[in-house]
């Protein structure tokens, strides 16, 4: 019985520590098998604490799809965490990148659940040149970038301009 309580207390402490620091870190939640081409596809999603309607929940179906696509799925809280992850990716290695998060046509929000909507460190804004430049250096020729967010279509032209020639940006207006 004591072991159960100790395990539960440890789990709560770890969860609280992760919640406290997740805005400064990233968490890889799905990685392709070792035989697959690692890094070929990358998905950035917000932490579940910033996902008010579960749109970026990683259920068994989503994990299976990520494995089939040989995608690495990374939860990020802030742009700095996404940049720190990208720094370790090889140049010209990403053929598909999905930038998922809630949005309203001006940004794709990642966040840790405690971000103000105007906080530019909590997500992708089209004028975030440093992040987009780093992302561009990691893309292969004719890579695909998906702005996986509601009403992201207005961001697509500026995002495409910031990426390398031939990169295709897809977004929705719904």
């Amino acid at each position: 019985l004591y072991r159960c309580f100790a395990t539960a207390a440890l789990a709560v402490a770890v969860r609280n520590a992760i919640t406290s620091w997740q805005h400064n870190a990233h968490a890889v939640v799905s990685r392709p098998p070792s035989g697959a081409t690692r890094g070929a596809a990358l998905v950035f999603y917000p932490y579940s604490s910033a996902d008010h309607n579960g749109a970026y929940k990683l259920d068994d179906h989503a994990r299976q799809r990520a494995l089939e696509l040989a995608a690495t799925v990374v939860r990020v809280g802030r742009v700095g965490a996404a940049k720190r992850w990208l720094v370790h990716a090889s140049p010209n290695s990403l053929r598909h990148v999905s930038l998922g998060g809630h949005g309203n046509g001006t940004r794709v929000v990642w966040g840790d659940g405690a971000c103000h909507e105007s906080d530019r460190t909590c997500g992708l804004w089209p004028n975030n040149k440093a992040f987009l430049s780093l992302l561009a250096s990691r893309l292969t020729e004719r890579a695909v970038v998906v702005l996986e967010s509601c009403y992201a279509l207005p961001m697509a032209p500026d995002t495409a301009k910031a990426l390398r020639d031939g990169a295709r940006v897809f977004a929705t207006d719904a």
Side-chain angles (χ1 to χ4, degrees), residues 95-138:
R95 72 181 188 295
H96 175 96
V97 176
S98 287
L99 303 172
H102 294 287
N104 67 359
T106 61
R107 65 198 175 280
V108 175
V109 178
W110 292 321
D112 52 15
C115 290
H116 188 271
E117 64 185 30
S118 65
D119 185 347
R120 291 181 182 262
T121 68
C122 290
L124 177 65
W125 298 68
N127 60 357
N128 188 331
K129 303 294 186 219
F131 175 78
L132 292 173
S133 176
L134 178 60
L135 176 60
S137 73
R138 300 319 193 232

Side-chain angles (χ1 to χ4, degrees), residues 36-58:
T37 306
R38 287 184 182 257
L42 172 65
V43 177
F44 281 137
Y45 276 167
Y47 279 95
S48 56
S49 59
D51 187 10
H52 65 275
N53 64 1
Y56 302 99
K57 183 173 112 180
L58 288 174

Side-chain angles (χ1 to χ4, degrees), residues 75-167:
R75 295 268 190 202
V76 292
R78 307 281 171 138
V79 174
K83 284 170 58 175
R84 279 191 294 285
W85 197 94
L86 279 176
V87 163
H88 297 290
S90 299
N92 304 314
S93 64
L94 299 172
R95 72 181 188 295
H96 175 96
V97 176
S98 287
L99 303 172
H102 294 287
N104 67 359
T106 61
R107 65 198 175 280
V108 175
V109 178
W110 292 321
D112 52 15
C115 290
H116 188 271
E117 64 185 30
S118 65
D119 185 347
R120 291 181 182 262
T121 68
C122 290
L124 177 65
W125 298 68
N127 60 357
N128 188 331
K129 303 294 186 219
F131 175 78
L132 292 173
S133 176
L134 178 60
L135 176 60
S137 73
R138 300 319 193 232
L139 296 176
T140 62
E141 186 177 333
R142 299 185 44 81
V144 172
V145 175
V146 178
L147 301 178
E148 199 176 328
S149 176
C150 290
Y151 310 109
L153 189 59
M155 294 176 55
D158 288 336
T159 303
K161 284 180 200 171
L163 300 176
R164 66 178 37 217
D165 292 336

Side-chain angles (χ1 to χ4, degrees), residues 12-30:
V12 169
V14 168
R15 183 184 182 282
N16 288 342
I18 289 171
T19 301
S20 298
W21 294 103
Q22 67 189 7
H23 69 278
N24 290 321
H26 61 268
V28 176
V29 294
S30 179

